[in-house]
Amino acid sequence: MSRTLEEVQATIQIAKLKENDLQNTIHCLTFGESVSSGDYFLMELDDTLCKHIEAGNSLVIRGDQDERAVLCSEDKTYDLKIADTSNLLLLVPGCLTPDQLTTDNQASSQLVHAQIWGFSNSYWELRKRHPKLKKLKKLLMENPYEGPVISGQEDVTDGKYTMGDLLERIQASVEELEAQLQTIHACEVNGYWRLLDFDYEMKLLGHITQLVDSESWSFSKVPLSVSLEELGRLEPQEMIEHSLNCYGRRYTDNDEVFFALNEDMVCRATAQMLLQNAVKFNLAEFQEVWQQSVPEGMGTRLDQLKSLALVDRSSKPETISLLRVEDLPEDTLERFTHLFTMREKWTEEDITPYIQDLCGEKQTSGALLTKYARLSTQNGIKVFNSRRPVAT
């Protein structure tokens, strides 16, 4: 039964409150006939996400059944965590907050009746996080693209994923997913996103660099039209253009499209090709073979291999081995545990490429090292050790 204004004013007097200190508009709340705490879930949004919703955009919850759900906008990913509150949260449609009330100087109070539709003692709290993208490469490796299907062979669709399929499986926003697809050199073939088999990717790159050499072109000015015409006899033209996009920068000169090949990326890919079949490589021998393997006119440097290969200068002779950052755990603590299992002591120069991707927008690798590693000095050199005993 709804209260009258007189009953409300009497309650205010019993509570020893001064009516002049209160808003003129008084809300009288009553519960609906069928109200349950399970009918509604509350979520706390920051100003950016509120404006995102108010603009008519959507937020999507993603995650497989064995994963914790995340919330995604078009360009960011958030962890969903339940936060409990000691105060009961009431859902009251039409209820006005103090800043929404008019500030007129009416002499008497007015009573507004509002009905409670739901209640809860918890809400979803959002925390921005790095997208979980390691799973993307694992899915695409189920059926890597090794070139066009030979006539007479069946085109198998198992292990192939459309963008819609990937968005259902990968805990990342659309923009983050698209950026990662570009980073790992994936391409869309017949509506499915495919990851090129590495040998096939190197085959395409080899065709391009050999053409550049035979035509005596500059690596900074590789014409697209001629490349497609000459190499289209060997591989699909879209694959040739895809390789140029992966390893070069597209630009236009006098209405003609050219590519400037990226020396560091070509050298890095060549190094990966040499290292992937060896556990460890004598460093001096590797550098010699590496330089001989890249196109003439390009120069190799060890700093081109950050987050791809690890040099061990403590061994005699010095060695180098393949260690790709994308193969390491995504979780920060698991990443550090894995790294310190591999090597007891790390210099900042060696470990930074393998933790840089874990840093937030306002976090540096140094701050991350301070939190998860212990600084010490060895032979006058600063090194980092694990903060906890490493399992052997």
Side-chain angles (χ1 to χ4, degrees), residues 82-86 121-123:
I82 294 180
D84 295 324
T85 174
S86 57
N121 58 359
S122 64
Y123 60 94

Side-chain angles (χ1 to χ4, degrees), residues 204-357:
L204 293 171
L205 181 59
H207 286 321
I208 293 170
T209 56
Q210 288 169 19
L211 179 64
V212 171
D213 180 64
S214 64
E215 297 291 337
S216 299
W217 291 337
S218 167
F219 285 117
S220 63
K221 197 168 187 178
V222 181
L224 174 61
S225 59
V226 180
S227 299
L228 295 181
E229 181 181 350
E230 293 293 326
L231 300 179
R233 308 185 190 99
L234 304 174
E235 299 292 343
Q237 290 189 352
E238 59 268 24
M239 288 295 105
I240 299 299
E241 187 169 358
H242 172 71
S243 183
L244 285 167
N245 277 311
C246 290
Y247 290 96
R249 175 182 57 83
R250 179 191 293 257
Y251 67 95
T252 303
D253 186 13
N254 292 328
D255 296 327
E256 185 176 357
V257 178
F258 292 91
F259 281 88
L261 293 184
N262 187 305
E263 180 177 318
D264 290 346
M265 293 183 67
V266 174
C267 292
R268 183 182 176 91
T270 306
Q272 181 176 340
M273 179 183 65
L274 296 173
L275 292 170
Q276 65 179 357
N277 296 320
V279 177
K280 285 189 177 182
F281 212 125
N282 179 293
L283 179 60
E285 293 178 358
F286 166 77
Q287 288 180 292
E288 183 178 351
V289 173
W290 183 26
Q291 182 59 59
Q292 293 173 352
S293 302
V294 301
E296 186 176 354
M298 289 191 174
T300 59
R301 307 183 314 276
L302 287 178
D303 65 351
Q304 294 167 335
L305 306 184
K306 289 181 179 180
S307 75
L308 174 70
L310 185 63
V311 174
D312 185 356
R313 299 195 181 278
S314 63
S315 65
K316 302 297 179 183
E318 296 177 342
T319 61
I320 185 171
S321 57
L322 187 69
L323 180 60
R324 299 179 301 182
V325 67
E326 61 262 31
D327 295 332
L328 299 176
E330 286 183 299
D331 178 77
T332 303
L333 181 57
E334 291 180 13
R335 174 82 60 89
F336 274 93
T337 300
H338 184 84
L339 289 172
F340 283 114
T341 300
M342 293 179 54
R343 179 183 285 188
E344 184 180 353
K345 301 177 186 295
W346 289 78
T347 64
E348 186 171 5
E349 180 182 2
D350 284 345
I351 200 172
T352 295
Y354 294 104
I355 62 172
Q356 194 69 53
D357 62 308

Side-chain angles (χ1 to χ4, degrees), residues 72-89:
C72 297
S73 62
E74 275 81 1
D75 61 348
K76 293 181 177 61
T77 301
Y78 299 85
D79 265 331
L80 279 170
K81 294 189 178 181
I82 294 180
D84 295 324
T85 174
S86 57
N87 296 321
L88 191 65
L89 302 174

Side-chain angles (χ1 to χ4, degrees), residues 117-262:
W117 282 21
F119 63 90
S120 177
N121 58 359
S122 64
Y123 60 94
W124 287 105
E125 183 181 54
L126 302 184
R127 296 180 183 177
K128 188 179 173 185
R129 61 153 299 138
H130 290 290
K132 295 184 178 180
L133 295 166
K134 187 175 182 180
K135 185 177 178 181
L136 174 62
K137 192 170 184 178
K138 182 179 179 181
L139 290 176
L140 297 183
M141 283 301 295
E142 292 176 4
N143 192 345
Y145 184 76
E146 299 176 346
V149 178
I150 300 175
S151 178
Q153 288 186 347
E154 183 181 357
D155 188 10
V156 180
T157 58
D158 292 342
K160 294 182 181 179
Y161 299 91
T162 64
M163 178 60 78
D165 296 332
L166 293 175
L167 287 172
E168 289 182 0
R169 302 289 300 276
I170 306 300
Q171 293 182 307
S173 67
V174 174
E175 289 188 15
E176 290 167 333
L177 180 58
E178 290 175 343
Q180 184 65 9
L181 286 168
Q182 184 176 355
T183 298
I184 63 177
H185 295 176
C187 65
E188 193 173 14
V189 181
N190 298 327
Y192 295 99
W193 280 94
R194 309 288 300 278
L195 187 65
L196 270 60
D197 176 81
F198 184 68
D199 289 339
Y200 182 65
E201 184 175 339
M202 293 305 297
K203 181 182 178 182
L204 293 171
L205 181 59
H207 286 321
I208 293 170
T209 56
Q210 288 169 19
L211 179 64
V212 171
D213 180 64
S214 64
E215 297 291 337
S216 299
W217 291 337
S218 167
F219 285 117
S220 63
K221 197 168 187 178
V222 181
L224 174 61
S225 59
V226 180
S227 299
L228 295 181
E229 181 181 350
E230 293 293 326
L231 300 179
R233 308 185 190 99
L234 304 174
E235 299 292 343
Q237 290 189 352
E238 59 268 24
M239 288 295 105
I240 299 299
E241 187 169 358
H242 172 71
S243 183
L244 285 167
N245 277 311
C246 290
Y247 290 96
R249 175 182 57 83
R250 179 191 293 257
Y251 67 95
T252 303
D253 186 13
N254 292 328
D255 296 327
E256 185 176 357
V257 178
F258 292 91
F259 281 88
L261 293 184
N262 187 305

Side-chain angles (χ1 to χ4, degrees), residues 52-69:
H52 181 85
I53 292 292
E54 291 169 353
N57 299 313
S58 61
L59 299 173
V60 183
I61 295 177
R62 294 197 172 104
D64 274 344
Q65 293 183 356
D66 59 342
E67 298 172 328
R68 293 187 63 174

